[in-house]
Structure formats: C-alpha cells, structure tokens
Amino acid sequence: MTDVKAGGASAVSEAGLVVREAEYGDKLAAVEPGGAEYIPLDQRHGTPLKLFWTWTSPNLEFATIFLGVLAVAAFGLNFWQAVAAAALGSALGALSHAVLSARAPRHGVGQMVLGRVPFGFRGNALPAGLNTIAGGIGWFAVNSVSAALALSTLTGLPKALCLFVVVAIQVTVGFFGHNFVHTVERYAFPVLAVVFVLASIVILSKADFGAPASGEGGGLGGFLIATAAAFGYAAGWNPYAADLTRYLAPDTPRLPVALFAGLGIFVGCTGLQIVGAAAVTIGGDALGDPTGTFTGHMPTLIGDLTLLAVTLGAICANAINVYSGSMSFVTIGVKLPMALQRAMVALVFGVLGLVVAYFGLDDAGHDYEAFLLIIAYWIGPWLGVIFMDMWLRRGQPIDGLLYDTTHRNLAGPIAMAVGIVVSVALFCNQELYVAPVPKNVPEVGDITFAVGFVLAALVYAALRRLPGRTSAAPQES
C-alpha cells in the first residue's frame, strides 16, 4: 500500500498500518505529533475512568441548558414531557457513543480512520468532510458564541472581544492535542460540577413542575422534535468517540470504556437539559435573552459563577470540537508534509470558526435551534452504515484496510447519501423546509434522523450482499 508520510513521523508496518513513530506518550507540555496514524503500543496510556469527565465536562455548558429551554419554549412541551424527550434522545446518543468508544483501543486509530472500512479510503471523504465542517467549524462556532455571550454578560466587555479571548483559549488546547485535552476536561470537571449543581438547586427550587405547556407545537410532534434535537446534541459527539480512546491499551476491557464514555454523555446532556426546561417554567424571556433570563433567577454570586462556568464549559466543548475536527480533515487523505499536520489544521479551523461565530453573535438562539436538528440529519445515516458494517463484519479482521489507499467500498457512501437525501426530502421539519410527511401529518414531528439511520443501514446491507459489488478489499475486511 501507499504510505502517507507526515514529515518523517510515520512508517508502514508489516500489517499495512501507518504507524506514528514520533515520541508522545503521556507528555502534557508537548504538541501531539502527526495526524491520523496508528498509535503504537509503547505510546498507549490512560484508564477508562478518565472518559467520564472527558465527556461530561464539554456538556456542562449553556448550549445543553438551552436545548431544554427549546423543548418547553419552542417545541411546546410541558416540563415532564421535556424531561422524557431529553432522557430518551440523550440515551440513544450516549449508547451509540459507548459502542464506538469501546471499539477504538483494539485498533489504535481515530473514528474517521475506522470509517474507511465501510466507506472505502476515498469514499470516507463524505463523512469525514461533513464532520470537519460540522465539528471543526459548526459546533465550534455555536459554542464559541455561547461562551462569548456569557463572558460579555459577566464582565461587560464587548462581545467581539470576548469571542476572540475564548477562541484563542480553545484553539490553544486543541492545538496541543490529545493529552492536553483530557487534562483540561479533568480539571474543569469539579469546577463545572459544583457550580452547575448550585445553579440547578436554585432553578429547581423555583420551578413550577406542573405548569401547562405553552407556545406552539406540543403533542407527539413536539416530543419527537425535542427528542431528535436531544439525540442530535448527544450523537454530535459520536464521530469523535474513538479519537479520545485510541490511546488506551488494546487489552483494556471494553465494558468500562463503553460505560464511562456513555455515562459522561448521558449525565452531562440529560442533567442540564432538565434544568433548562425547569427554568422556562419560572418565567422570563427564555428565547429572547436565554443566558440573562437563566442567571436572572439566581442570587448574584451564583449567577456570576454560572456565567463563568458557561464560559468554561464551552471552552471544554470546543477543545474537543477543534481537536477532532482537525483529526477528521487529515483522515480525508490530503497529503500534508508537516510533522504537526493535525495541530496546524486545528489552528486553521480556529480562525474559520472565529469568523463564523462572529456573524452569529446577534442571532444565537435561532441559529442553534436549526443547527441542532440539522446535525442529526447526517449523523443518523452515518451511524446506520457504521453499525450495519460492524454487524456484517463481526469477527473479521479490519486493520489491513485502515490505510489501504486501494480499498473501495461504494456501498458506504451510496447508502449514506441515500439515507440523507430521502430522509430529509420526506421527513425534514425545519423552518426553511417542511417535508411532505410532517406537513400532512404534524404528529410525526421530526424523525429524519431515525429514518435516515434505518434506511442507510438497509441500503448498505443490500449493496454489500449484491454479487460482484464494487470493492477492491479482500473478503476478510
């Protein structure tokens, strides 16, 4: 096979793996070298427990709270319906995240490198490219706006200046890479947990849990839209899952890896969505001034601490977004001659995310609502292909395909494209486009992600079983 060199930092093993040769190990004050290479055994380190705070911290931010706000204020649910939607959607996203996280230590590569098996080396550019845009730029911009608004409210400084400050911090963490990201999430966790527990106690003590549903929507349709949004938020981390577990030793038990990664997603997402839904029942302009209204229900000290925690939580989220977004880009197969290719790409995405975030400062709530639903539209079909391929190949070796530039599997990109196009065309329920099914049957809400998942999985299974299917890979794949 063809080796994709990274400034002399990689070599091809006998098994065909592109192995990163540069020393990194558990160093903290060092920039993670290379890009998407296989992590050799002597560089493996860490324990599954760290995955709990690594995946809880980035969800302890106002973006998660606002999702609960939307369930009540925008989707027309009452508090208990919003709780059920948050729990169901988050649980589904956490479950898929757990499975994907547990798979990585054995193979020692990132999530999008594993995606080369069902999509082919070149075909994998479809999900990797989408994740680059959605994570490295889209999510990065959304969370940067959230942090900037909180910091501006707290300090009184101009929003643009606050945006520049938080972006600079986020990009620095992402630039240093894997070990630094895990460390930041670890030390931010107790701070975020304590502050948000205090904030939650205040909000829940004032909430009216029996308040009737308000606003348009509601019913089964509103519940399904809220569930889809909760899933989109939780599953938005799925394309990053293996990136943060690939340094674990290959003999690490899968159960604790899955458990701590999944719990981190579920606890962080569900807990703060519930608090956000409760805050709406207190009153105020939850959609027009979400951050100010939320903290306005609190004593000044707790409110100020919450604004600080909102800023820190968004930084934790975007450290992972810019890190894994750059990982996805280098997985596409673009040849970069530098030894720090992933780190340099992270810097570029930070600049692009800064520009996008700047133009979203004045309409954050509306942009976030649309983004949450749209993000699930491609992740659903992508997961359908990934999980169906895992099922069809169960017990078969796949390492030989991870860096094989001749590997073709058109079933993956075709199935994913069909899943996206058909599900969006028929089931999308967005302000700019309401598809025929929800237009005529509002009770279906927005089940685009579920339809896309099932359809992509079935199409992939059918194409893989066709005789003479297009694939240069051996059957052992």
Side-chain angles (χ1 to χ4, degrees), residues 201-435:
I201 291 173
V202 173
I203 294 297
L204 295 174
S205 67
K206 296 182 178 182
D208 180 4
F209 301 127
S214 59
E216 300 180 359
L220 179 60
F223 177 81
L224 291 175
I225 292 176
T227 301
F231 169 80
Y233 185 87
W237 299 112
N238 287 182
Y240 308 165
D243 297 350
L244 277 300
T245 58
R246 73 191 197 281
Y247 276 84
L248 294 173
D251 58 352
T252 304
R254 291 191 176 191
L255 181 58
V257 174
L259 179 64
F260 287 119
L263 276 179
I265 296 291
F266 181 78
V267 171
C269 291
T270 307
L272 287 194
Q273 286 179 54
I274 292 174
V275 176
V280 180
T281 68
I282 303 175
D285 188 9
L287 291 179
D289 181 22
T291 306
T293 301
F294 182 75
T295 56
H297 299 311
M298 307 173 189
T300 302
L301 176 60
I302 295 180
D304 289 345
L305 287 174
T306 301
L307 289 172
L308 185 62
V310 165
T311 304
L312 178 59
I315 290 173
C316 288
N318 274 347
I320 294 179
N321 282 322
V322 72
Y323 174 71
S324 281
S326 60
M327 283 282 295
S328 294
F329 180 80
V330 299
T331 302
I332 292 175
V334 178
K335 295 184 179 182
L336 300 174
M338 61 197 76
L340 299 179
Q341 53 180 288
R342 181 213 53 81
M344 299 308 297
V345 170
L347 290 181
V348 174
F349 286 158
V351 174
L352 293 175
L354 173 64
V355 174
V356 175
Y358 177 78
F359 289 103
L361 281 173
D362 295 325
D363 196 16
H366 183 272
D367 291 344
Y368 182 58
E369 177 182 348
F371 184 75
L372 276 173
L373 290 173
I374 292 173
I375 195 70
Y377 291 172
W378 79 267
I379 289 182
W382 173 74
L383 286 173
V385 172
I386 292 292
F387 285 131
M388 179 56 72
D389 184 77
M390 290 173 61
W391 172 257
L392 294 176
R393 298 178 190 271
R394 60 192 183 279
Q396 300 176 9
I398 63 171
D399 289 347
L401 299 179
L402 299 178
Y403 296 94
D404 184 357
T405 58
T406 67
H407 171 47
R408 302 288 184 268
N409 188 5
L410 293 179
I414 290 174
M416 181 175 172
V418 170
I420 293 175
V421 172
V422 174
S423 64
V424 171
L426 295 180
F427 292 91
C428 175
N429 195 349
Q430 284 282 313
E431 181 177 333
L432 295 178
Y433 173 67
V434 179

